[in-house]
Amino acid sequence: MPLNPSEILNNRYRIIKLLGQGGFGAVYRAWDMNLQKACAVKENLETPAELSAQFMREATTLANLVHPNMPRVIDHFSLPQHGQYLVMDFVEGENLETKLIKAGPLPYPQAVFWIGQISDALDYLHNQCASPIIHCDLKPSNILLGLDMAAYVIDFGLARFLFSAPN
């Protein structure tokens, strides 16, 4: 069931509007009432015990990543009978798929610039020493083009976290 505008999650995040919805949940623009700034809240509705543990492991891993071409995960929590939530930096912009539909092919210099940023983010993910991360769903709709003209890799819902075995 979608969250309603003005609904408050975890006594901190006020929902502003739905940004997108998929089979396992939705993403909302929200307002962080503690930090007084916009954020994105990703809701995961699939919460069986095994998936719940995987979500928490992934949330913790993502929260420790810092790259200029990936929104930061700033919080995560579960609400019984509701779902699990990731709170991320909100990046104002549009996805690459929408941009291509509206404007057609990108000018070569712009395409090379964004491909370089995306490649740098993927290299960063793949080279996490303790736990390489494979995105698994890289496509134009999962590349966000910010108003700052940077490309951001988003939506790690299908990512594979290659956790190292404990010693």
Side-chain angles (χ1 to χ4, degrees):
M1 179 166 67
L3 299 172
N4 296 313
S6 298
E7 190 169 341
I8 297 175
L9 296 176
N10 216 31
N11 296 313
R12 180 173 176 176
Y13 305 105
R14 183 171 38 86
I15 300 301
I16 305 296
K17 71 177 186 174
L18 177 68
L19 297 174
Q21 200 163 358
F24 297 109
V27 178
Y28 299 88
R29 181 176 180 158
W31 185 256
D32 183 332
M33 297 186 305
N34 286 356
L35 298 177
Q36 295 294 300
K37 68 180 206 168
C39 59
V41 174
K42 183 174 183 178
E43 179 182 46
N44 177 24
L45 298 175
E46 291 290 316
T47 56
E50 181 181 312
L51 291 178
S52 181
Q54 179 183 342
F55 173 87
M56 296 306 277
R57 204 169 44 244
E58 291 174 6
T60 302
T61 301
L62 291 172
N64 286 294
L65 300 177
V66 179
H67 189 277
N69 299 102
M70 293 173 18
R72 288 176 315 129
V73 171
I74 55 177
D75 195 5
H76 65 87
F77 54 94
S78 293
L79 297 176
Q81 272 50 67
H82 290 283
Q84 299 170 308
Y85 301 87
L86 273 181
V87 182
M88 298 164 281
D89 289 332
F90 178 75
V91 177
E92 186 77 46
E94 66 182 344
N95 69 47
L96 179 57
E97 180 179 53
T98 301
K99 174 112 177 135
L100 292 170
I101 290 168
K102 283 195 225 174
L106 298 172
Y108 180 79
Q110 185 65 69
V112 169
F113 178 70
W114 283 332
I115 288 170
Q117 291 180 330
I118 295 162
S119 297
D120 190 51
L122 293 175
D123 182 63
Y124 172 76
L125 291 168
H126 296 174
N127 285 295
Q128 295 301 303
C129 294
S131 177
I133 300 165
I134 310 301
H135 190 281
C136 294
D137 196 24
L138 193 63
K139 58 189 178 186
S141 62
N142 286 338
I143 303 298
L144 185 60
L145 305 174
L147 296 181
D148 59 358
M149 296 307 293
Y152 297 86
V153 177
I154 61 169
D155 195 351
F156 288 81
L158 296 178
R160 296 292 168 254
F161 297 77
L162 307 177
F163 292 102
S164 300
N167 293 332

